[in-house]
Amino acid sequence: MAADTESKLQQVHKHIRAFPDFPKKGIMFRDICPILKDPAALTAVIDLFEDHVRKNHLQVDLIVGLDARGFLFGPLLAQRLDVGFVLVRKKGKLPGNTVTVEYDLEYGKAEAEIQEDAVAPGQTILLIDDLLATGGTLYAACELMKKQQAEVLGCMVVIELKELNGRDKLKPHNVFSLVQY
């Protein structure tokens, strides 16, 4: 089983492209588009997430995906786990009553929101996104879950940029990442 896991991790890693100086000089952008283009690589990502969840979380009610790339992996994982999927969006993108939280970005502030009835008090959730950098967006999603009185079991990402210490911002929540740079 460990060899199979390592093989899948290698497949994911080889499908991540690096673009230096994007979107600005000094940034090394990690592109997940090749993963999405290759069915075997995408399956490997979902297999690895599913394996992690089944080994570490006995009861999951919902997968909560972050705008927008969490929407790519979250529904596939939710379907595998036979649980629902919920969206955390940028402010103004969801109809109906919403719950909002403001958070800091490197260059200013932003707001994230969830539909008021998307998560019930006491539900157990896992957050999913493509990338953990400084942790601001995932932290905001954790704060939204707190407002909804949901229990955050952990955060899952395809890529973690370790030098930016985003994991520290998310404590006490566990972070599971497939690939670290």
Side-chain angles (χ1 to χ4, degrees), residues 96-143:
N97 294 332
T98 60
V99 177
T100 305
V101 68
E102 186 177 273
Y103 63 101
D104 293 321
L105 298 169
E106 300 82 44
Y107 50 85
K109 294 198 178 292
E111 291 179 284
E113 66 183 1
I114 189 168
Q115 289 177 318
E116 192 174 72
D117 62 354
V119 178
Q123 283 192 300
T124 55
I125 64 98
L126 285 166
L127 294 162
I128 191 166
D129 204 0
D130 68 322
L131 179 81
L132 172 59
T134 62
T137 308
L138 273 167
Y139 177 79
C142 289
E143 291 299 299

Side-chain angles (χ1 to χ4, degrees), residues 19-72:
F19 285 94
D21 299 323
F22 183 83
K24 63 183 184 180
K25 190 162 182 61
I27 303 288
M28 179 65 74
F29 187 87
R30 303 293 178 171
D31 181 23
I32 60 156
C33 291
I35 291 172
L36 301 171
K37 186 177 172 184
D38 185 284
L42 181 57
T43 298
V45 167
I46 303 306
D47 286 350
L48 291 163
F49 280 143
E50 179 185 13
D51 186 53
H52 169 77
V53 173
R54 292 196 187 281
K55 286 180 180 173
N56 295 284
H57 304 289
L58 299 178
Q59 174 61 43
V60 177
D61 295 317
L62 296 169
I63 301 295
V64 178
L66 279 62
D67 195 343
R69 293 188 178 125
F71 301 170
L72 302 172

